[in-house]
Amino acid sequence: MDYVCNYIIKNYIKNKNDKNNKKDSKSFKIIEIGIGYYFNVAKSLNNHENLNLIVIDANKDAIDKAKKEGLNAFVDDIFEPKLDVYKDADLIYSIRPPRDLQPFILNICKKYSIPLLIKPLYGETPINDLKLINYKGNALYVWNTK
């Protein structure tokens, strides 16, 4: 899933740095919702400079394992989210979240005008408000604040 990292770096982090015209601008805050036990994308992003990456899951065991992998991880339930965690984020993303959770993730993004990126399950159709895009032959859903 290197393409997810590449998309995030190219379309969000690099664009923000270019707009600020500073490579050492304030840290870019990204949140992954529903990390589960798949840490590859988060670990790849976590190596990027000036990035504050937070991973979230409702499963305490998954969060404990994420912490052991060196990730900044928190338990949270998106049905009743601790909104302070999300409010200053520059991007929220999720890897293969169940379709019934996607509206709750989108609601958090809408509340704080945070762009959203979802890597869907294969063959899944996007929920309302999300746009399906093809990035290097891979399906992604996006919601942008623009």
Side-chain angles (χ1 to χ4, degrees):
M1 289 229 204
D2 287 341
Y3 66 91
V4 175
C5 295
N6 293 339
Y7 185 85
I8 290 171
I9 291 166
K10 178 182 175 188
N11 292 287
Y12 295 100
I13 298 171
K14 185 176 182 318
N15 280 350
K16 183 177 181 185
N17 284 338
D18 289 348
K19 285 178 185 173
N20 289 343
N21 217 7
K22 295 180 186 176
K23 294 294 180 197
D24 59 351
S25 63
K26 84 170 185 82
S27 182
F28 193 85
K29 182 177 177 182
I30 295 180
I31 298 175
E32 179 176 344
I33 295 179
I35 184 95
Y37 296 97
Y38 183 77
F39 307 124
N40 293 356
V41 173
K43 286 173 70 175
S44 291
L45 286 172
N46 208 31
N47 292 329
H48 197 274
E49 286 183 15
N50 297 322
L51 183 71
N52 176 14
L53 177 68
I54 298 171
V55 298
I56 306 284
D57 202 284
N59 182 328
K60 184 179 180 331
D61 184 57
I63 292 304
D64 289 342
K65 289 187 182 197
K67 287 178 179 180
K68 288 178 183 173
E69 292 288 328
L71 297 170
N72 186 13
F74 296 95
V75 173
D76 195 26
D77 179 356
I78 63 166
F79 297 113
E80 295 180 28
K82 299 172 190 146
L83 293 173
D84 286 349
V85 173
Y86 306 94
K87 71 178 177 182
D88 296 325
D90 295 296
L91 173 68
I92 291 176
Y93 76 94
S94 188
I95 306 295
R96 297 186 297 259
R99 196 169 195 278
D100 60 331
L101 297 183
Q102 294 174 22
F104 293 92
I105 298 169
L106 181 59
N107 286 342
I108 292 169
C109 293
K110 285 182 173 182
K111 180 170 181 64
Y112 294 112
S113 294
I114 302 166
L116 172 62
L117 173 69
I118 290 180
K119 166 56 186 135
L121 289 168
Y122 179 76
E124 187 176 62
T125 57
I127 62 170
N128 291 341
D129 296 332
L130 297 182
K131 179 182 174 188
L132 174 63
I133 62 166
N134 179 329
Y135 182 70
K136 297 185 178 184
N138 299 287
L140 297 173
Y141 303 159
V142 296
W143 180 79
N144 291 309
T145 57
K146 299 171 192 171

